[in-house]
Amino acid sequence: MNKKKVYITRNVSLMPVELLEKDFEVIISPEDRTLSKEELKENIKDVDAVITQLTNVVDEDVLENAKKLKVIANYAVGFNNIDIDEATKRGIQVTNTPGVLSDTTAELAWALLFAVTRRVLEGDRYVREGKWDAFFPTLLLGQDVTGKTLGIIGAGRIGKAFAKKSIGFDMKILYYNRSRDYEFENDYNAKYVDKETLLKESDILSLHVPLTAETKHMLGKKEFKMMKKTAIVINTARGPVIDEKALVAALKEGEIWGAGLDVYENEPTLEEELKQLDNVVLTPHIGSASTETRTKMAKMVVDNVIAVLNGKDPITPVNHI
Ligand code: NAP
Ligand code: GLV
Ligand code: GLV
């Protein structure tokens, strides 16, 4: 009998491919880059499973070509790169990697938060460029974090992990979701507020929502105007949740004080002016990028593929078939 085929869109050294190879034929793209849509279409037309990354757009057009596909295992928790309705219609199981990356991504949000408030990267450049001549009381003045108001949009797995880490900084926690989470409110003394109140009252605002039609451009010109001039925005969610051009304008005009960004509207491209601004810290979408976490995610991806191809329930399903 022919073995079922698993296609991996980009080689990931952390992935336990040998577990797949026991029962399936595994094909790994030899290209060390994101495949074009045409390449993806061509390469998955005959496979039973595909392991995708968030840079692979899996839309109706791609699925139309993948007649044998049973499972799309995304190597990420976010799945906005996949047309879930189309996959469901075709009986294709989609899986993701929730939970194992929550603390790691929350940690990066904190890294950005401190890098912005205490101007860590400006300080680093100042020292390296040989500009530092002496201690001086008003050199690179930043902002305190302790005692400030932390606003979380999207207090889900990562948003809550982020909030949890504020214990010790004596912060007031505000959050906004579509639904309330009473356990979170009790455990962290978090206050549920509407989006407008959150925008007006937060000193530090961190985004942790998925990218959906509803969350696209959730922060734009109007929202930045409502925020404190001393406010800081952290985005480790998805780039298009922020209107990036409006963010540049808000940062330049002093509508807000600073921003820490891991994600961008058109990755890997970003608004050129962001690179010129000193009050912004930029990282290249590395929210879950620790060796431990990426290893756990890779195992989860492989376990999902094995489960589905063996006719079992996936471990972390996105849709219900
Ligand atoms: P999650 O547990 O599903 O949490 C998402 C939260 O967003 C929930 O609290 C949800 O609450 C809220 N939400 C959803 N739609 C909303 C809306 N329209 N308005 C307000 N709140 C809304 O997801 P997670 O595991 O924390 O992951 C969150 C996102 O982080 C992922 O989707 C991914 O895009 C991103 N991420 C980025 C990185 C990185 O490398 N930078 C790493 C991991 C994840 P309600 O349903 O009650 O609204
Ligand atoms: C990363 O961005 C993820 O969604 O896991
Ligand atoms: C600063 O280094 C101080 O001693 O206050």
Side-chain angles (χ1 to χ4, degrees):
M1 206 181 83
N2 281 344
K3 282 185 174 177
K4 288 180 178 159
K5 288 184 186 164
V6 180
Y7 187 76
I8 304 179
T9 62
R10 188 164 179 178
N11 193 16
V12 176
S13 62
L14 302 170
M15 200 162 281
V17 174
E18 65 284 358
L19 298 180
L20 293 167
E21 282 170 337
K22 279 189 204 156
D23 293 310
F24 313 119
E25 181 186 342
V26 180
I27 308 144
I28 304 176
S29 167
E31 309 292 345
D32 189 21
R33 58 171 171 81
T34 296
L35 297 177
S36 71
K37 189 168 156 179
E38 285 311 311
E39 290 171 318
L40 179 65
K41 267 170 77 172
E42 181 59 27
N43 292 336
I44 67 170
K45 69 176 186 216
D46 187 33
V47 306
D48 300 275
V50 61
I51 292 176
T52 49
Q53 303 195 359
L54 56 87
T55 47
N56 298 126
V57 177
V58 185
D59 58 12
E60 186 182 354
D61 185 28
V62 171
L63 293 173
E64 184 56 35
N65 234 37
K67 299 288 187 213
K68 286 177 70 184
L69 200 59
K70 286 168 204 66
V71 53
I72 304 166
N74 211 35
Y75 189 28
V77 68
F79 45 80
N80 53 286
N81 56 309
I82 301 168
D83 188 332
I84 303 299
D85 288 344
E86 273 303 321
T88 308
K89 237 191 261 172
R90 292 158 199 268
I92 300 170
Q93 180 69 60
V94 180
T95 67
N96 65 344
T97 62
V100 290
L101 46 57
S102 300
D103 282 319
T104 310
T105 307
E107 285 171 11
L108 187 81
W110 277 96
L112 289 170
L113 189 164
F114 277 114
V116 176
T117 53
R118 298 305 303 273
R119 306 175 66 175
V120 173
L121 279 90
E122 283 177 88
D124 180 87
R125 289 193 288 269
Y126 193 81
V127 174
R128 286 173 199 265
E129 287 166 12
K131 291 182 181 160
W132 188 33
D133 57 359
F135 170 87
F136 186 67
T138 54
L139 176 63
L140 288 172
L141 295 180
Q143 290 197 35
D144 284 334
V145 172
T146 300
K148 293 282 173 71
T149 297
L150 192 59
I152 297 168
I153 301 190
R157 288 173 294 246
I158 299 170
K160 281 188 272 196
F162 177 76
K164 191 172 171 181
K165 296 181 198 319
S166 73
I167 293 175
F169 295 112
D170 300 326
M171 301 179 90
K172 179 175 169 190
I173 300 173
L174 306 178
Y175 81 103
Y176 169 66
N177 277 352
R178 290 167 305 179
S179 55
R180 282 182 73 162
D181 183 334
Y182 294 98
E183 200 182 322
F184 174 58
E185 290 177 29
N186 271 331
D187 291 353
Y188 297 100
N189 203 14
K191 191 174 163 200
Y192 183 77
V193 292
D194 59 27
K195 186 177 149 195
E196 192 172 324
T197 307
L198 187 133
L199 291 168
K200 286 183 176 156
E201 295 186 6
S202 298
D203 295 307
I204 294 151
L205 191 166
S206 194
L207 291 166
H208 299 286
V209 286
L211 174 60
T212 63
E214 269 180 51
T215 62
K216 183 165 188 234
H217 284 192
M218 205 173 194
L219 293 192
K221 192 172 174 198
K222 184 173 113 230
E223 286 76 20
F224 292 127
K225 280 205 191 316
M226 291 166 79
M227 295 181 70
K228 294 182 184 179
K229 298 231 182 300
T230 49
I232 287 153
V233 170
I234 306 295
N235 190 9
T236 57
R238 282 289 182 270
V241 174
I242 295 182
D243 175 344
E244 205 167 281
K245 282 195 196 315
L247 174 66
V248 169
L251 287 162
K252 278 170 65 182
E253 288 153 24
E255 297 281 5
I256 62 170
W257 195 81
L261 308 171
D262 185 47
V263 288
Y264 308 89
E265 264 203 89
N266 300 299
E267 293 174 14
T269 305
L270 50 145
E271 282 296 317
E272 205 44 45
E273 280 176 286
L274 279 176
K275 296 185 212 162
Q276 263 87 60
L277 290 168
D278 275 335
N279 52 346
V280 189
V281 174
L282 309 166
T283 51
H285 202 149
I286 53 169
S288 64
S290 73
T291 306
E292 298 98 312
T293 289
R294 288 281 161 85
T295 303
K296 287 182 202 155
M297 289 165 66
K299 176 72 166 49
M300 203 174 226
V301 164
V302 164
D303 287 346
N304 272 309
V305 169
I306 292 173
V308 177
L309 291 189
N310 285 329
K312 301 203 179 98
D313 287 339
I315 300 141
T316 49
V318 168
N319 57 352
H320 294 283
I321 301 301

